[in-house]
Amino acid sequence: MSNGDAQIKVYVSSMSPNANTVCQQNKIEQVLEAKKVSFIKIDIASNPDYKDEMRAIMGDERGLAPQICNGNEYCGNYETFADAIELGTLFEFLKLPSPVQEQS
């Protein structure tokens, strides 16, 4: 896979009581897996340093999961992720090169 060197990070919270947040986190994972984008899932509930790291990258000391980054470069939250899917700009959103389109 050409984007194997990229380090997409998906910050999630396993302790979220909000069902909508859980659905959003699952949707992000499902889409990335379907698009064959490798990513690291980081659970901010497992270590407060992860939450601090996520918020520092976002530039928002009150930011909540889910959030998506490429390395230490902030990509966006679930809403901007969903917009990118709808607009067909997911790889641009993730700051990854677009994969070669296969003819069917």
Side-chain angles (χ1 to χ4, degrees), residues 35-52:
K35 297 288 186 180
K36 299 187 180 0
V37 174
S38 57
F39 64 95
I40 299 167
K41 183 164 100 171
I42 300 172
D43 183 4
I44 65 171
S46 70
N47 184 332
D49 291 340
Y50 295 150
K51 186 189 309 181
D52 294 341

Side-chain angles (χ1 to χ4, degrees), residues 8-83:
I8 300 300
K9 299 178 189 175
V10 179
Y11 290 92
V12 300
S13 177
S14 62
M15 301 298 287
S16 178
N18 185 322
N20 191 45
T21 298
V22 173
C23 287
Q24 291 175 351
Q25 292 173 167
N26 291 337
K27 177 73 172 183
I28 291 169
E29 291 179 46
Q30 291 168 355
V31 168
L32 294 179
E33 288 170 359
K35 297 288 186 180
K36 299 187 180 0
V37 174
S38 57
F39 64 95
I40 299 167
K41 183 164 100 171
I42 300 172
D43 183 4
I44 65 171
S46 70
N47 184 332
D49 291 340
Y50 295 150
K51 186 189 309 181
D52 294 341
E53 174 185 276
M54 176 191 77
R55 289 176 171 175
I57 293 169
M58 294 174 62
D60 181 354
E61 64 186 34
R62 298 174 55 124
L64 301 172
Q67 300 293 334
I68 305 163
C69 304
N70 184 333
N72 289 325
E73 191 173 355
Y74 183 59
C75 296
N77 59 16
Y78 176 78
E79 289 76 18
T80 54
F81 174 81
D83 288 346

